[in-house]
Amino acid sequence: MPQYSATAFQWSGTGYNALYNTSYTATIDDDDSTLDGASDTNETVSINGGAFNASTGQPYDIDISFTDVNGDPHVETFYFVFTNGSWYFIPGPGSEFSVGATLGSYQSHTTTGTPYSTITCFVRGTLIDTKHGLMPVEDIQTGTEVLVANGCYKPLRRVLSRKIRAKELQENTKLAPVRIMAGAIALGVPSRDLLVSRQHRMLISSNICERMFGEPEALVAAIKLTELPGIHCEPANKGMEYFHLFFDQHEVIFAEGAPTESFYPGPEALKALSPEARTEISCIFPEVDEHGFEPKAARYIPSGKRQKALIARHLKNRQPMLQAEKFHAKH
């Protein structure tokens, strides 16, 4: 049975409107990738390496407002678990909740399980631009030289993959990919429909981006782009395989002609890897295990709220996500 890791916070016990300055590592031992609580007899959780205990009580997925470290308000779903004699809550992948955030008030609860293994990845069949031309992602191997945004070719350090069963997707639709239809980002970009995981980031390069952030380019999660025409979440009706591309550092590469990111080894993404994959990555990149390690992003990554505002501004002004005068890749 696979294990997964996630960041957890101990419930204050005093209700809501509490500041959280300490986080814990939750280890989930489960046969799927969804936090289902007592409805899943195969699921147990431990905190900071303690003994595994089964979760008890309902509901488990609760929508709560909170204020992040920048003072911005959010409403997100948190998974609550009773283990080792205390209540803990686990934010979903890509959450803006972190150490220093203040939990707000109860909003509602849901019966949909929280996913905790969604990470940056491409779907089988995606064409990647390499030194040998366009190659399906499943044919790329360690050492393959891949085109990056500055016009150079850089060797791939590792390719990892994970198959998602149809049943798993149906039980957890948040694992289904986002489809970016041909030409949805800009004229001819992507050149074919592109499918990526929901948290996979695409490059935005525009005057609007520069005015908002002081940066001409930014990376935005695919799920945030679904406000745009031609970009939507795929139905969770069949199994698929995801691929993760690792370089010596975070890079902007080209998938179906669209600039997008390679695997970003941030804390949440690393925790979402299986223990086997995590061990393999640690052997190749030992620095990821160093205390306080923060990878350098290939481009500016706005907060979730600012990503949403960027997309809204583009919609209002009817501007493409890529503008030639801003994006100067030698593609």
Side-chain angles (χ1 to χ4, degrees), residues 43-214:
E43 180 182 300
T44 54
V45 180
S46 73
I47 301 294
N48 280 8
F52 278 98
N53 288 291
S55 305
T56 57
Q58 291 283 4
Y60 288 93
D61 289 7
I62 304 175
D63 295 338
I64 303 177
S65 66
F66 70 90
T67 303
D68 66 23
V69 294
N70 296 315
D72 295 326
H74 304 267
V75 175
E76 290 183 3
T77 302
F78 297 90
Y79 173 76
F80 279 74
V81 54
F82 186 80
T83 184
N84 299 340
S86 299
W87 280 98
Y88 294 84
F89 62 91
I90 301 171
S95 173
E96 296 292 332
F97 194 93
S98 62
V99 170
T102 300
L103 205 64
S105 60
Y106 168 90
Q107 302 294 311
S108 63
H109 68 268
T110 176
T111 58
T112 302
T114 299
Y116 50 82
S117 63
T118 303
I119 55 179
T120 303
C121 39
F122 300 96
V123 169
R124 171 179 282 272
T126 300
L127 295 180
I128 305 296
D129 206 326
T130 77
K131 197 170 186 178
H132 303 289
L134 297 176
M135 293 180 63
V137 67
E138 63 271 21
D139 292 343
I140 292 178
Q141 301 176 358
T142 298
T144 297
E145 294 187 67
V146 176
L147 179 67
V148 299
N150 66 359
C152 298
Y153 292 91
K154 293 193 176 180
L156 199 64
R157 289 297 302 274
R158 185 67 79 216
V159 182
L160 297 176
S161 66
R162 180 196 170 201
K163 292 182 178 180
I164 309 289
R165 298 170 298 168
K167 182 176 183 294
E168 188 174 359
L169 280 174
Q170 290 162 5
E171 292 174 347
N172 182 3
T173 57
K174 293 179 182 178
L175 290 176
V178 167
R179 179 180 291 272
I180 303 173
M181 298 179 68
I185 293 178
L187 182 63
V189 182
S191 55
R192 302 193 314 166
D193 285 10
L194 171 64
L195 281 84
V196 295
S197 60
R198 298 190 180 201
Q199 297 303 322
H200 192 107
R201 301 180 187 94
M202 305 299 296
L203 186 78
I204 305 300
S205 182
S206 68
N207 291 322
I208 294 174
C209 182
E210 187 161 27
R211 285 196 297 268
M212 288 185 64
F213 309 134

Side-chain angles (χ1 to χ4, degrees), residues 120 201 219 245-246 249-251 261-270 294-299 301:
T120 303
R201 301 180 187 94
L219 289 165
L245 304 182
F246 295 79
Q249 61 188 33
H250 192 219
E251 299 285 358
E261 68 174 337
S262 65
F263 183 86
Y264 179 68
E268 295 306 314
L270 290 172
E294 292 186 9
K296 181 180 179 180
R299 297 294 189 276
I301 302 176

